[in-house]
Amino acid sequence: MDDTTELNAWRSRLSALWPDCGALRVLNGEHDTNLADGQRVYKVAPATNETDVIDLQWQALQHVRAKSVPVPRPVATSSGEPLAYVDDSEQQRTVWAQEWIEATPLAKCSPCDGELLEALGGAISHLHDALEDFEHPALERDLRWRIESTPTLAERSKHLQQHPKRERIDQILSEHSGPALKRLAQLPTQALHYDLNDHNLLYRCKPGAKPTLAAIIDFGDMMRGARIIDLSIAATYLLPKSAHPLRSLRAFVGGYHQQSKLSLGELELLWPLMLTRMVSSMVIAWEDECRGNDDPYRQISQAAIHQFLEGALDMPSNEVLRHLAAACDLDDPDQATLDWIADPGLAPKSLFKASLANAPVLDLSITGAHATDNPVSPELSEVAQAVDALAPAGKPVLGRYREPRLIYGAPFYLSTTHGASERRTIHIALDVFLPEGTEVHAPYDATVLSAEVCDAEFDYGGLIVLAHEPIPGIRFYTLYGHLQHASARALAPGDSIKAGEAFARLGAPAENGGWPPHIHFQVSTTEAPGSEWPGVVDVNDLDYWIRRFPDPSRLAGLMDTRALSPITNEEALRKQRAAHAPGNLRLSYGDDPVTIVRGWRALLFDATGRTYLDAYNNVPHVGHTHPHVRASVDSQMRWVNTNTRYLQPIHSQYCEALLEHFPASLNRVFLVCSGSEANELAVRLARAATRATDMIALRAGYHGHTVTAIDLSDYKAGGPGGNGVPDWVHLIDNPDTFTGIHRDENAAERYAAQVDDVLDRLDERALAGFIAETFPSVGGQVVPPPGYLSGVYSRVRKAGGVCIADEVQTGLGRLGHYFWGFEHQAVTPDIVVLGKPMGNGYPLAAVVTTDAIATAFDNGMEFFATFGGSSVACAAGKAVLEVLREERLQENAAEVGTYLKSGLEQLATLYPVLSEVRGEGLFLGIVMVDAEGRPAAHLTRYIVQRMREQRVLIGSDGAHHNVLKIRPPLVFSEADADHLLSTLDAILQESALRSS
């Protein structure tokens, strides 16, 4: 009905009933003709004999609206009637109306993730509570979507034999639908919506905010049934689009359960009913297509459902049930077995002749005493050395259950679920390290379930799984990995083994995947061949995994918790911090901070081993925990760490190495601990050299947290809690040629000329100098126009002042084609300030100046900083310069920075919110604007937070807080850049940014 003439005819008919009816458009619908004018939705039924169904919807909407469920309000005609009859092409049709809700179908929502799904589950629970006492005769009707009718699909459709998924459909109908429908009949029933698909759930999304549920619409398929049916229908349409279907399902069901408790029996039916609904959807769509009814609305979900079903049957119902039970904190289906395995009174036969009672523990946790140096490409020889150091030869060493580890570097430790990959880090077994050839004994009578050889690097080698049933009703399975190949080949499924019988031997590294000789001892409540057991799992689903693979300590004969790794409690950490930290010592990312315990190159790791790409922290200039920097600091710490009052070779060596990168006129070095301290000292030097006090600084500038530095930092002094800059500080505009007041080809001169205005206002007062970040960073990653600093410097020097270049953010090769920012501007400052990147995390900063200024400062008062220029600080700084040279990191900053900037500029052509990409090398910024071109701080915050949720860390800054800031360690690679770009690209497509 897209024909304008026909729509106008319908408007004429409807105007007789609703006089203010506006211009109409057609909405999707399977049964009714749906017309909308922005005020109402007019639902035109195919015939006049459906008044009972319309009355059902009308009454249901009124009923649940009274209980605050967000649904449309039914709207009577101008004469007060709930429905009316209209003539259409010589037939009479029934029409009624409901209010228009300005919102978007959830099918178009991104991200439709855990937070929204949890809220959606709660909303459906609210709907069910509201419908619990609703009755209507039309609820007893039987539509073709009724889930109990699914087994008759084959009988209904002569076309089903030709369905391309016929085998899948038959499998689901026989293995899932039939048994589920028998149990479904035993559950209590009530009024249900019965069509909670993602087009009948509407959301709203403000720019820069996550989407929220707005309304539930289209009650035209209401029937009576068990409430789990509605949950299965909603999940059927939501999950196929999820990168993590089971996590999404857990969030959705968990949200429902928080409001209305679900039983384990109901949860047991959810997955089979979802598969059944998918079959119904596929077959009904196929029937319609075969009959020539190819309405796109009826086919709209088919592609996602077909793709999802390709892998869905690989997820057994009992495993999905365990996930749901964990999400709802209900007893596991095998709770009796879990309780038995944890019983401290167990008396299994010993796994080994050697006693485990006093065995020491190997700590391979993220920051453990025995963790490998390289968390990305670990050396297993380090593990072997740690084992040898812990116990005499032949004595056992324990490796802990539930321990987060970074030693799993092989590709198969990436857990892949429907396209989303994450590194698995949680060891879900007990390790016992003993010499190769050590005999392994069965803890209980057993039957061999599987025996195989997995000979890939980092894999199990010989692998055996035993089945045990120590008492009736208790059945579990134990896995033994890293065995001799001969041990696995000597057994076959079905073989019997007696308790205490030696059935295998530990393998040597050459045949156990390269690991030090040990047993990987794991227990499961689920029957599966050993190659299907993950020995390392994803922390995000840990509550599920510890149900499937419980702590094996008791089965190994351990009576204490030595082999149980503790779990970091982030909520407790936050409370501890809040108890002693001041309120303005803030955490990044607000209510969702990151707990960081380890770093490597451009990566950061939390306490569970989750990996974050660090595109924000410029302090680890040559990469987190760089081996050469660390070795230099460790080496110097062995000998002495003292101050500059003593002659130290390392001090002179470092200063000479640093000065090699400066113009000859800058030849005096003061070493201090921080950029704030360095800027404080720089101002003292300027005042000593000029005998003046007043300074010129930039608006939105930042130079540190000391008293003088704050006074010079409009970003702080002029912001919340500040008192403004003092009268001796004179501000000029940030030289921003994109959003600033000067944007033409003369911008450099016009910005520089603001110095003249300051000098005019000084009257008789003398100028001490000018200070600015060479490329203003907190001002928004600004690249000054060519000639700007030369214009400023000439004016300042003519007035008797000195020029201070704050290179904390831009120095040491970050800009790629320039080692210092002032080189980009073709000027030489009188004083240069360096800070945090100098020591790669060790407290080190510097002020570099001329002979003349240093001499003026030498007025009889000694300059001394206790830790400034200490032996260890100099060792760290010297090592950083060596790494910069040897690894060509300035060149890397130029190459990768150019590559990354080009990628960001390509994104900017696709997404108007990215207004400008600016910067040089690995000092980059992206200006964010809204649809009207105004600074968009809310969108900037959203992107920073969403990038963090996707484990990519960037920052934001700028006078209007609307510039995304990217300044990673200089080891950042093109692969890192690709990851950042793809993550940002995906986020820019989300609803919170599309709505702007």
Side-chain angles (χ1 to χ4, degrees):
M1 195 194 293
D2 292 332
D3 182 78
T4 303
T5 301
E6 191 174 356
L7 284 174
N8 287 337
W10 271 107
R11 182 181 181 186
S12 177
R13 298 180 191 118
L14 296 174
S15 293
L17 303 168
W18 292 276
D20 59 345
C21 178
L24 297 173
R25 61 188 177 93
V26 181
L27 303 180
N28 287 326
E30 179 186 7
H31 186 69
D32 297 334
T33 299
N34 295 312
L35 305 171
D37 65 357
Q39 304 174 80
R40 303 177 197 93
V41 176
Y42 305 94
K43 301 180 75 67
V44 185
T48 59
N49 61 352
E50 299 192 6
T51 56
D52 59 336
V53 177
I54 295 173
D55 185 65
L56 166 65
Q57 296 176 72
W58 185 285
Q59 299 297 335
L61 290 172
Q62 295 281 46
H63 186 84
V64 299
R65 274 179 59 83
K67 299 185 179 183
S68 302
V69 177
V71 296
R73 175 178 56 85
V75 182
T77 66
S78 58
S79 61
E81 298 298 323
L83 56 84
Y85 302 97
V86 296
D87 291 326
D88 172 31
S89 302
E90 300 181 356
Q91 69 170 331
Q92 198 174 51
R93 300 178 66 178
T94 310
V95 62
W96 65 291
Q98 57 186 245
E99 71 173 327
W100 170 260
I101 294 179
E102 191 63 46
T104 307
L106 205 61
K108 299 180 180 180
C109 180
S110 174
C112 190
D113 60 6
E115 190 174 329
L116 177 59
L117 292 174
E118 186 176 326
L120 177 59
I124 293 174
S125 171
H126 186 195
L127 172 65
H128 284 171
D129 288 346
L131 286 172
E132 190 173 17
D133 61 350
F134 178 75
E135 295 293 341
H136 194 282
L139 288 173
E140 310 305 329
R141 63 200 171 125
D142 189 8
L143 299 178
R144 64 175 180 168
W145 285 104
R146 191 176 185 87
I147 206 156
E148 290 89 345
S149 302
T150 306
T152 68
L153 287 174
E155 300 168 16
R156 286 209 320 264
S157 174
K158 65 181 180 181
H159 305 290
L160 184 57
Q161 298 297 327
Q162 288 78 44
H163 196 285
K165 300 289 185 182
R166 175 60 193 271
E167 292 184 5
R168 287 277 187 179
I169 289 170
D170 287 346
Q171 181 183 359
I172 291 171
L173 289 175
S174 63
E175 296 180 8
H176 299 275
S177 303
L181 294 180
K182 290 179 182 178
R183 296 196 300 274
L184 184 65
Q186 301 170 11
L187 296 178
T189 63
Q190 66 165 81
L192 299 180
H193 182 284
Y194 230 104
D195 194 18
L196 291 171
N197 69 64
D198 52 358
H199 287 266
N200 291 336
L201 300 167
L202 305 184
Y203 80 94
R204 291 194 185 98
C205 188
K206 295 179 180 179
K210 288 191 175 180
T212 57
L213 183 70
I216 302 171
I217 64 170
D218 194 355
F219 283 65
D221 286 343
M222 285 189 71
M223 287 182 281
R224 181 180 299 282
R227 59 182 183 167
I228 198 66
I229 294 173
D230 260 1
L231 282 174
S232 70
I233 292 169
T236 295
Y237 296 94
L238 294 171
L239 261 64
K241 300 170 185 177
S242 172
H244 299 281
L246 284 176
R247 288 182 201 161
S248 295
L249 185 61
R250 288 164 54 117
F252 174 58
V253 173
Y256 186 101
H257 184 78
Q258 287 178 25
Q259 306 297 323
S260 298
K261 301 305 179 189
L262 291 161
S263 68
L264 201 61
E266 288 176 296
L267 293 178
E268 189 176 8
L269 294 176
L270 183 62
W271 186 243
L273 291 180
M274 285 178 59
L275 296 175
T276 301
R277 176 71 178 202
M278 289 180 195
V279 164
S280 295
S281 178
M282 290 165 58
V283 173
I284 289 172
W286 179 256
E287 287 177 345
D288 289 348
E289 186 177 345
C290 291
R291 292 168 182 160
N293 184 355
D294 57 352
D295 184 345
Y297 179 68
R298 303 188 190 198
Q299 307 291 332
I300 201 165
S301 302
Q302 293 309 298
I305 287 175
H306 282 226
Q307 183 178 4
F308 185 76
L309 272 178
E310 289 301 317
L313 293 183
D314 295 332
M315 293 189 279
S317 293
N318 62 335
E319 295 308 305
V320 178
L321 178 58
R322 281 194 178 86
H323 276 281
L324 298 178
C328 297
D329 199 24
L330 295 174
D331 279 353
D332 190 86
D334 292 316
Q335 193 62 46
T337 298
L338 292 173
D339 291 342
W340 191 92
I341 290 170
D343 186 350
L346 290 181
K349 296 294 184 180
S350 297
L351 293 179
F352 304 99
K353 290 182 179 179
S355 171
L356 305 183
N358 298 307
V361 173
L362 181 74
D363 185 355
L364 292 173
S365 62
I366 310 302
T367 57
H370 310 116
T372 56
D373 280 350
N374 186 327
V376 175
S377 300
E379 294 288 342
L380 295 184
S381 59
E382 295 179 48
V383 179
Q385 291 166 10
V387 170
D388 291 343
L390 275 172
K395 297 295 184 181
V397 171
L398 301 179
R400 295 184 295 187
Y401 169 82
R402 205 180 61 185
E403 183 171 67
R405 297 174 174 177
L406 292 177
I407 61 172
Y408 305 111
F412 55 75
Y413 291 115
L414 291 178
S415 57
T416 302
T417 307
H418 295 272
S421 295
E422 293 179 349
R423 186 177 180 180
R424 294 181 283 134
T425 60
I426 306 297
H427 184 244
I428 203 71
L430 172 71
D431 288 332
V432 182
F433 293 86
L434 280 165
E436 61 186 80
T438 299
E439 289 184 336
V440 184
H441 303 258
Y444 293 94
D445 289 348
T447 301
V448 176
L449 179 67
S450 65
E452 53 196 306
V453 172
C454 306
D455 57 1
E457 186 180 10
F458 293 105
D459 214 329
Y460 281 124
L463 178 63
I464 296 171
V465 175
L466 304 181
H468 309 272
E469 191 170 2
I471 61 175
I474 300 298
R475 186 171 179 83
F476 61 91
Y477 307 85
T478 52
L479 176 146
Y480 308 81
H482 306 295
L483 305 173
Q484 291 179 350
H485 292 186
S487 296
R489 290 173 177 145
L491 295 174
D495 288 352
S496 295
I497 298 174
K498 291 294 184 182
E501 181 182 342
F503 66 93
R505 291 179 182 272
L506 299 187
E511 60 177 348
N512 77 3
W515 298 89
H518 75 290
I519 191 73
H520 173 98
F521 178 58
Q522 191 171 349
V523 61
S524 177
T525 56
T526 300
E527 178 177 333
S531 56
E532 296 181 11
W533 291 40
V536 185
V537 299
D538 191 325
V539 67
N540 293 295
D541 304 311
L542 185 57
D543 57 350
Y544 158 74
W545 291 116
I546 60 178
R547 288 168 178 248
R548 181 175 172 187
F549 302 116
D551 181 6
S553 294
R554 296 292 182 262
L555 296 180
L558 293 171
M559 300 306 294
D560 53 36
T561 60
R562 278 177 302 139
L564 179 63
S565 178
I567 294 178
T568 299
N569 186 326
E570 293 192 352
E571 184 59 31
L573 281 178
R574 291 176 65 180
K575 288 180 179 178
Q576 282 180 299
R577 177 183 171 112
H580 58 73
N584 57 357
L585 185 64
R586 294 174 184 162
L587 287 164
S588 296
Y589 308 107
D591 294 333
D592 191 21
V594 185
T595 303
I596 296 300
V597 299
R598 189 166 179 183
W600 179 257
R601 295 181 65 82
L603 300 178
L604 290 169
F605 305 91
D606 71 10
T608 64
R610 292 186 186 96
T611 306
Y612 294 81
L613 177 64
D614 185 3
Y616 175 68
N617 287 293
N618 63 333
V619 177
H621 194 63
V622 297
H624 290 282
T625 61
H626 193 286
H628 180 60
V629 178
R630 190 179 68 184
S632 298
V633 169
D634 289 347
S635 176
Q636 186 61 51
M637 284 289 285
R638 289 183 64 194
W639 311 123
V640 70
N641 185 22
T642 188
N643 58 55
T644 53
R645 284 199 171 114
Y646 302 98
L647 280 176
Q648 307 171 56
I650 189 69
H651 179 273
S652 297
Q653 291 166 6
Y654 174 55
C655 289
E656 289 173 2
L658 182 63
L659 289 174
E660 286 178 6
H661 296 278
F662 280 94
S665 61
L666 294 169
N667 57 7
R668 297 293 175 180
V669 181
F670 296 85
L671 295 179
V672 290
C673 295
S674 72
S676 297
E677 187 183 359
N679 275 315
E680 186 89 16
L681 175 59
V683 173
R684 288 181 62 193
L685 290 168
R687 287 172 171 170
T690 61
R691 305 294 181 181
T693 300
D694 287 47
M695 295 288 298
I696 299 174
L698 294 184
R699 287 190 174 87
Y702 176 69
H703 301 287
H705 64 83
T706 62
V707 172
T708 300
I710 288 290
D711 284 345
L712 289 164
S713 301
D714 177 54
Y715 184 79
K716 291 290 188 182
N723 298 315
V725 298
D727 60 2
W728 57 267
V729 175
H730 308 276
L731 299 176
I732 61 175
D733 286 320
N734 207 338
D736 186 342
T737 57
F738 183 74
T739 57
I741 60 172
H742 302 308
R743 308 181 191 181
D744 57 22
E745 65 275 7
N746 297 318
E749 174 60 22
R750 296 171 74 182
Y751 276 119
Q754 291 186 6
V755 173
D756 297 330
D757 298 333
V758 173
L759 296 175
D760 289 343
R761 294 196 302 270
L762 282 178
D763 294 329
E764 301 298 322
R765 294 162 65 178
L767 179 68
F770 166 79
I771 186 170
E773 294 177 281
T774 313
F775 284 22
S777 179
V778 297
Q781 304 292 89
V782 174
V783 178
Y788 168 70
L789 277 187
S790 62
V792 171
Y793 281 17
S794 63
R795 287 171 167 86
V796 169
R797 285 168 174 158
K798 186 176 180 180
V802 299
C803 300
I804 304 172
D806 185 334
E807 291 276 355
V808 172
Q809 300 280 350
T810 50
L812 297 170
R814 174 165 293 280
L815 301 181
H817 296 293
Y818 308 95
F819 200 81
W820 308 111
F822 62 76
E823 294 174 339
H824 171 271
Q825 288 283 300
V827 296
T828 299
D830 303 300
I831 301 171
V832 178
V833 172
L834 308 178
K836 45 200 170 188
M838 295 179 70
N840 212 55
Y842 194 92
L844 176 62
V847 178
V848 181
T849 189
T850 65
D851 265 330
I853 292 176
T855 300
F857 187 63
D858 187 7
N859 61 1
M861 180 188 295
E862 179 190 11
F863 172 78
F864 177 68
T866 301
F867 298 106
S870 70
S871 316
V872 175
C874 290
K878 182 171 176 286
V880 167
L881 294 178
E882 290 165 350
V883 173
L884 282 171
R885 180 183 67 253
E886 292 165 10
E887 297 186 14
R888 301 180 65 250
L889 293 185
Q890 181 181 352
E891 291 88 337
N892 186 70
E895 293 166 7
V896 176
T898 299
Y899 178 82
L900 177 55
K901 187 176 182 181
S902 174
L904 293 171
E905 288 170 340
Q906 290 177 35
L907 291 180
T909 66
L910 301 174
Y911 305 105
V913 293
L914 306 183
S915 184
E916 186 200 31
V917 178
R918 53 171 59 155
E920 293 279 344
L922 290 175
F923 179 91
L924 299 173
I926 312 167
V927 181
M928 297 286 299
V929 298
D930 63 15
E932 284 72 42
R934 298 169 301 198
H938 59 304
L939 303 182
T940 307
R941 285 193 301 271
Y942 179 85
I943 288 180
V944 170
Q945 181 63 37
R946 285 291 294 134
M947 291 286 279
R948 171 258 178 273
E949 291 171 8
Q950 299 304 308
R951 302 186 195 168
V952 177
L953 306 184
I954 62 173
S956 65
D957 252 323
H960 302 289
H961 307 286
N962 70 314
V963 180
L964 295 172
K965 181 159 62 175
I966 299 172
R967 47 169 204 189
L970 299 197
V971 292
F972 209 70
S973 67
E974 286 193 3
D976 295 331
D978 285 336
H979 182 49
L980 186 154
L981 290 167
S982 63
T983 304
L984 179 59
D985 186 13
I987 290 169
L988 287 165
Q989 299 175 47
E990 293 182 352
S991 301
L993 295 163
R994 290 202 310 264
S995 61
S996 48

